[in-house]
Amino acid sequence: MAKYSDLASVQQAIREGQTSCKALVAFYLEQIKEHQHLNIYLEVFEEEALQKAAALDKKIQESPEKLGKLWGMVVSIKDVICYQGHKVSAGSKILENFESLFSATAVERILAEDAIIIGRTNCDEFAMGSSNENSAYGPVLNGINPQKIPGGSSGGAAVSVQMDTCLAALGTDTGGSVRQPAALCGILGMKPSYGRISRHGLVAYGSSFDQVGIFAHKTEEMALLLEVMAGADEYDATASKREVPAYSQTLEPLQQPSIAYYRSALEHPGLDEEIRTLMEQQLDEFRRAGYRVEGVDFKYLDYIVPAYYVLTTAEASSNLSRYDGVRFGFRDKEADSLEDMYTHSRTQAFGEEVKRRIMLGTFVLSAGYYDAYYTKAQKVRRLIAEETRRLLSDFDFLLMPTTPAPAWNLGEKTDDPVEMYLADIFTVQANMAGIPGIAFPVGKTGEGLPVGLQLMSNVFEEAKLLSFVKQLGY
Ligand code: GLN
């Protein structure tokens, strides 16, 4: 149970003098020390966070009218999000000791509202993975049961909130990397619509999929962080210019929400029995509340993962070509020709999964196979996106499991990449279609492992989605 699960009570406790920003940061630093064995953080900004907290305490006393919206909020950032003057390694050896030259727009915006960043969290290398076992700095362990994976790729971010080392965390979600670990760790995780938050300052993986996401215990914190981070940005042409609603002020219950679910997902042979039961219970609850609930058919379910892995590996192979040992990052100093330097640097410093994806992506983009794989997968993406958006113009929400199974054992799927990829079956649709999704905890398995379901709405309907999740009690 988190000591603080919402910002309002943190701020109240500080105002009433029960605690201070400095004491709060000290509490979180203590929590970080206590959970070091989980390998959550790659770096803790201890001194800096304490100094910022002290400055904030002074501001509370001297000029409270100048406090930003996020004062009192302590946040962790995933190690793919740039923070000027701080290291960012994307969980990779290739960026070992690399320092950010500028801050991500998302980071700048939360700092401008007085959030305190406590450290950078471990993740799968270049955000490629579903279990956080692909980090060059060792796996992250699930705080509920350290034999189990926390999910990935934002595993450190999820556990940082799960284990009460900060109030909220920023991650990234290209194919489920926020919603999946949130579900496996028993907290809330949100991926906004593609383009809602600027990608400027994110280490790119699949640029037409990547999006900053948020982990928290409560809807209010997600809404507040989203409203602070979202909006147009001159540094990212894909960031939407659409007006940003005051999400935290519009969390009103919906009168007659309608919810669709895919029969093929609920009946999927790969779905764990306990998750199926919890999903059925949730649907029954909706029906009892008088909401319109309908099972619909979706014929593309089994095509989502293959198309996703063709497209994201293609984009990754291009994005990762900049790590060549020349301009920044790791360089093999023994190489005696230019070509050897490229080859050796990349061979030595990229992990196995990243190399697999670079090769796969290069293959699907190669002259002889481009049409057979890349063009075809683009067409499949278009079909999936259109069908999803059409469905969501008839229904307010789409309910899905977040994961086919609860957290698995460390090492259980590492020998079988395809099995690992298939674990993303329910999360990648939102990224393929660019729609927002929120994973929320619905219960636990007999073994005590958290289960999360997922609600999605149509593009840029975050306000409605957040309202409904709050209505469900979060
Ligand atoms: N597991 C998916 C992948 O490996 C999703 C990763 C992500 O969202 N960053 O691509």
PDB file of all heavy atoms in Angstrom, residues 78 127-130 152-153 172-177 205 308-309 312 357 424, ligand 1:
ATOM      1  N   LYS A  78      11.749   7.158 -17.514  1.00  0.00           N
ATOM      2  CA  LYS A  78      12.350   5.989 -18.171  1.00  0.00           C
ATOM      3  C   LYS A  78      13.624   6.412 -18.893  1.00  0.00           C
ATOM      4  O   LYS A  78      13.703   7.518 -19.435  1.00  0.00           O
ATOM      5  CB  LYS A  78      11.322   5.434 -19.162  1.00  0.00           C
ATOM      6  CG  LYS A  78      11.753   4.210 -19.942  1.00  0.00           C
ATOM      7  CD  LYS A  78      10.611   3.769 -20.876  1.00  0.00           C
ATOM      8  CE  LYS A  78      10.947   2.545 -21.685  1.00  0.00           C
ATOM      9  NZ  LYS A  78       9.845   2.142 -22.576  1.00  0.00           N
ATOM     10  N   ALA A 127      13.840   0.139 -25.596  1.00  0.00           N
ATOM     11  CA  ALA A 127      12.400  -0.109 -25.384  1.00  0.00           C
ATOM     12  C   ALA A 127      11.885  -1.322 -26.151  1.00  0.00           C
ATOM     13  O   ALA A 127      10.703  -1.423 -26.462  1.00  0.00           O
ATOM     14  CB  ALA A 127      11.572   1.134 -25.716  1.00  0.00           C
ATOM     15  N   MET A 128      12.803  -2.244 -26.479  1.00  0.00           N
ATOM     16  CA  MET A 128      12.403  -3.438 -27.217  1.00  0.00           C
ATOM     17  C   MET A 128      12.297  -4.618 -26.276  1.00  0.00           C
ATOM     18  O   MET A 128      13.307  -5.202 -25.887  1.00  0.00           O
ATOM     19  CB  MET A 128      13.426  -3.750 -28.309  1.00  0.00           C
ATOM     20  CG  MET A 128      13.509  -2.651 -29.345  1.00  0.00           C
ATOM     21  SD  MET A 128      14.827  -3.003 -30.500  1.00  0.00           S
ATOM     22  CE  MET A 128      14.837  -1.493 -31.440  1.00  0.00           C
ATOM     23  N   GLY A 129      11.076  -4.959 -25.920  1.00  0.00           N
ATOM     24  CA  GLY A 129      10.902  -6.107 -25.052  1.00  0.00           C
ATOM     25  C   GLY A 129       9.599  -6.044 -24.305  1.00  0.00           C
ATOM     26  O   GLY A 129       8.924  -5.010 -24.283  1.00  0.00           O
ATOM     27  N   SER A 130       9.259  -7.173 -23.674  1.00  0.00           N
ATOM     28  CA  SER A 130       7.998  -7.265 -22.945  1.00  0.00           C
ATOM     29  C   SER A 130       8.225  -7.762 -21.529  1.00  0.00           C
ATOM     30  O   SER A 130       7.275  -8.091 -20.826  1.00  0.00           O
ATOM     31  CB  SER A 130       7.057  -8.239 -23.664  1.00  0.00           C
ATOM     32  OG  SER A 130       6.981  -7.923 -25.031  1.00  0.00           O
ATOM     33  N   GLY A 152       7.476  -5.254 -19.646  1.00  0.00           N
ATOM     34  CA  GLY A 152       8.404  -4.321 -20.281  1.00  0.00           C
ATOM     35  C   GLY A 152       7.718  -3.587 -21.405  1.00  0.00           C
ATOM     36  O   GLY A 152       6.549  -3.845 -21.684  1.00  0.00           O
ATOM     37  N   SER A 153       8.361  -2.673 -22.022  1.00  0.00           N
ATOM     38  CA  SER A 153       9.746  -2.373 -21.749  1.00  0.00           C
ATOM     39  C   SER A 153       9.935  -1.393 -20.598  1.00  0.00           C
ATOM     40  O   SER A 153      11.034  -1.282 -20.054  1.00  0.00           O
ATOM     41  CB  SER A 153      10.395  -1.787 -23.013  1.00  0.00           C
ATOM     42  OG  SER A 153       9.776  -0.551 -23.353  1.00  0.00           O
ATOM     43  N   THR A 172       7.410   4.986 -21.992  1.00  0.00           N
ATOM     44  CA  THR A 172       7.007   5.134 -23.388  1.00  0.00           C
ATOM     45  C   THR A 172       6.296   3.858 -23.811  1.00  0.00           C
ATOM     46  O   THR A 172       6.559   2.778 -23.275  1.00  0.00           O
ATOM     47  CB  THR A 172       8.206   5.364 -24.329  1.00  0.00           C
ATOM     48  OG1 THR A 172       9.144   4.290 -24.152  1.00  0.00           O
ATOM     49  CG2 THR A 172       8.882   6.686 -24.054  1.00  0.00           C
ATOM     50  N   ASP A 173       5.372   4.022 -24.754  1.00  0.00           N
ATOM     51  CA  ASP A 173       4.543   2.902 -25.185  1.00  0.00           C
ATOM     52  C   ASP A 173       4.522   2.889 -26.714  1.00  0.00           C
ATOM     53  O   ASP A 173       3.947   3.757 -27.347  1.00  0.00           O
ATOM     54  CB  ASP A 173       3.135   3.095 -24.604  1.00  0.00           C
ATOM     55  CG  ASP A 173       2.241   1.880 -24.744  1.00  0.00           C
ATOM     56  OD1 ASP A 173       2.181   1.335 -25.865  1.00  0.00           O
ATOM     57  OD2 ASP A 173       1.595   1.475 -23.758  1.00  0.00           O
ATOM     58  N   THR A 174       5.210   1.893 -27.268  1.00  0.00           N
ATOM     59  CA  THR A 174       5.285   1.729 -28.717  1.00  0.00           C
ATOM     60  C   THR A 174       4.351   0.601 -29.143  1.00  0.00           C
ATOM     61  O   THR A 174       3.797   0.604 -30.228  1.00  0.00           O
ATOM     62  CB  THR A 174       6.746   1.400 -29.123  1.00  0.00           C
ATOM     63  OG1 THR A 174       7.580   2.447 -28.643  1.00  0.00           O
ATOM     64  CG2 THR A 174       6.920   1.261 -30.627  1.00  0.00           C
ATOM     65  N   GLY A 175       4.218  -0.377 -28.224  1.00  0.00           N
ATOM     66  CA  GLY A 175       3.349  -1.519 -28.514  1.00  0.00           C
ATOM     67  C   GLY A 175       2.760  -2.084 -27.230  1.00  0.00           C
ATOM     68  O   GLY A 175       2.325  -3.234 -27.202  1.00  0.00           O
ATOM     69  N   GLY A 176       2.799  -1.306 -26.169  1.00  0.00           N
ATOM     70  CA  GLY A 176       2.231  -1.786 -24.904  1.00  0.00           C
ATOM     71  C   GLY A 176       3.125  -1.562 -23.704  1.00  0.00           C
ATOM     72  O   GLY A 176       2.789  -1.942 -22.579  1.00  0.00           O
ATOM     73  N   SER A 177       4.265  -0.935 -23.934  1.00  0.00           N
ATOM     74  CA  SER A 177       5.275  -0.840 -22.875  1.00  0.00           C
ATOM     75  C   SER A 177       4.903  -0.045 -21.639  1.00  0.00           C
ATOM     76  O   SER A 177       5.640  -0.068 -20.659  1.00  0.00           O
ATOM     77  CB  SER A 177       6.559  -0.250 -23.437  1.00  0.00           C
ATOM     78  OG  SER A 177       7.254  -1.265 -24.091  1.00  0.00           O
ATOM     79  N   TYR A 205      12.344   4.544 -31.214  1.00  0.00           N
ATOM     80  CA  TYR A 205      12.315   3.107 -31.525  1.00  0.00           C
ATOM     81  C   TYR A 205      11.489   2.976 -32.809  1.00  0.00           C
ATOM     82  O   TYR A 205      12.045   2.854 -33.881  1.00  0.00           O
ATOM     83  CB  TYR A 205      11.753   2.367 -30.313  1.00  0.00           C
ATOM     84  CG  TYR A 205      11.191   0.981 -30.548  1.00  0.00           C
ATOM     85  CD1 TYR A 205      11.517   0.234 -31.672  1.00  0.00           C
ATOM     86  CD2 TYR A 205      10.340   0.388 -29.600  1.00  0.00           C
ATOM     87  CE1 TYR A 205      10.992  -1.034 -31.860  1.00  0.00           C
ATOM     88  CE2 TYR A 205       9.815  -0.877 -29.788  1.00  0.00           C
ATOM     89  CZ  TYR A 205      10.119  -1.580 -30.927  1.00  0.00           C
ATOM     90  OH  TYR A 205       9.592  -2.831 -31.114  1.00  0.00           O
ATOM     91  N   TYR A 308       2.731  -5.625 -36.674  1.00  0.00           N
ATOM     92  CA  TYR A 308       3.438  -4.713 -35.764  1.00  0.00           C
ATOM     93  C   TYR A 308       4.947  -4.976 -35.798  1.00  0.00           C
ATOM     94  O   TYR A 308       5.753  -4.045 -35.852  1.00  0.00           O
ATOM     95  CB  TYR A 308       2.884  -4.886 -34.340  1.00  0.00           C
ATOM     96  CG  TYR A 308       3.724  -4.240 -33.269  1.00  0.00           C
ATOM     97  CD1 TYR A 308       3.573  -2.897 -32.961  1.00  0.00           C
ATOM     98  CD2 TYR A 308       4.696  -4.973 -32.570  1.00  0.00           C
ATOM     99  CE1 TYR A 308       4.348  -2.295 -31.986  1.00  0.00           C
ATOM    100  CE2 TYR A 308       5.482  -4.378 -31.598  1.00  0.00           C
ATOM    101  CZ  TYR A 308       5.305  -3.039 -31.310  1.00  0.00           C
ATOM    102  OH  TYR A 308       6.086  -2.441 -30.353  1.00  0.00           O
ATOM    103  N   TYR A 309       5.345  -6.238 -35.757  1.00  0.00           N
ATOM    104  CA  TYR A 309       6.780  -6.541 -35.699  1.00  0.00           C
ATOM    105  C   TYR A 309       7.488  -6.325 -37.035  1.00  0.00           C
ATOM    106  O   TYR A 309       8.684  -6.099 -37.072  1.00  0.00           O
ATOM    107  CB  TYR A 309       7.035  -7.945 -35.114  1.00  0.00           C
ATOM    108  CG  TYR A 309       7.028  -7.869 -33.590  1.00  0.00           C
ATOM    109  CD1 TYR A 309       5.887  -8.136 -32.859  1.00  0.00           C
ATOM    110  CD2 TYR A 309       8.160  -7.437 -32.891  1.00  0.00           C
ATOM    111  CE1 TYR A 309       5.862  -8.005 -31.474  1.00  0.00           C
ATOM    112  CE2 TYR A 309       8.149  -7.294 -31.515  1.00  0.00           C
ATOM    113  CZ  TYR A 309       7.009  -7.587 -30.813  1.00  0.00           C
ATOM    114  OH  TYR A 309       7.000  -7.438 -29.453  1.00  0.00           O
ATOM    115  N   THR A 312       7.589  -2.143 -36.887  1.00  0.00           N
ATOM    116  CA  THR A 312       8.452  -1.522 -35.873  1.00  0.00           C
ATOM    117  C   THR A 312       9.917  -1.906 -36.073  1.00  0.00           C
ATOM    118  O   THR A 312      10.802  -1.093 -35.832  1.00  0.00           O
ATOM    119  CB  THR A 312       8.028  -1.896 -34.435  1.00  0.00           C
ATOM    120  OG1 THR A 312       7.882  -3.313 -34.352  1.00  0.00           O
ATOM    121  CG2 THR A 312       6.738  -1.201 -34.035  1.00  0.00           C
ATOM    122  N   ARG A 357      16.318  -7.400 -34.178  1.00  0.00           N
ATOM    123  CA  ARG A 357      15.319  -6.505 -34.787  1.00  0.00           C
ATOM    124  C   ARG A 357      15.932  -5.645 -35.891  1.00  0.00           C
ATOM    125  O   ARG A 357      15.277  -5.363 -36.890  1.00  0.00           O
ATOM    126  CB  ARG A 357      14.686  -5.638 -33.704  1.00  0.00           C
ATOM    127  CG  ARG A 357      13.861  -6.499 -32.750  1.00  0.00           C
ATOM    128  CD  ARG A 357      12.939  -5.682 -31.917  1.00  0.00           C
ATOM    129  NE  ARG A 357      12.385  -6.476 -30.831  1.00  0.00           N
ATOM    130  CZ  ARG A 357      11.332  -6.128 -30.132  1.00  0.00           C
ATOM    131  NH1 ARG A 357      10.711  -5.004 -30.394  1.00  0.00           N
ATOM    132  NH2 ARG A 357      10.893  -6.901 -29.156  1.00  0.00           N
ATOM    133  N   ASP A 424       2.243  -9.655 -26.702  1.00  0.00           N
ATOM    134  CA  ASP A 424       1.774  -8.281 -26.966  1.00  0.00           C
ATOM    135  C   ASP A 424       0.454  -8.240 -27.720  1.00  0.00           C
ATOM    136  O   ASP A 424       0.022  -7.173 -28.162  1.00  0.00           O
ATOM    137  CB  ASP A 424       2.819  -7.519 -27.802  1.00  0.00           C
ATOM    138  CG  ASP A 424       4.162  -7.413 -27.092  1.00  0.00           C
ATOM    139  OD1 ASP A 424       4.190  -7.465 -25.857  1.00  0.00           O
ATOM    140  OD2 ASP A 424       5.184  -7.277 -27.791  1.00  0.00           O
TER     141      ASP A 424
HETATM  142  N1  GLN B   1       6.827  -5.439 -26.377  1.00  0.00           N
HETATM  143  C1  GLN B   1       6.731  -4.563 -27.498  1.00  0.00           C
HETATM  144  C2  GLN B   1       8.009  -4.579 -28.281  1.00  0.00           C
HETATM  145  O1  GLN B   1       8.920  -5.201 -27.848  1.00  0.00           O
HETATM  146  C3  GLN B   1       6.386  -3.185 -27.056  1.00  0.00           C
HETATM  147  C4  GLN B   1       7.544  -2.344 -26.673  1.00  0.00           C
HETATM  148  C5  GLN B   1       7.193  -0.926 -26.401  1.00  0.00           C
HETATM  149  O2  GLN B   1       6.021  -0.549 -26.302  1.00  0.00           O
HETATM  150  N2  GLN B   1       8.213  -0.097 -26.306  1.00  0.00           N
HETATM  151  O3  GLN B   1       8.119  -3.990 -29.308  1.00  0.00           O
END
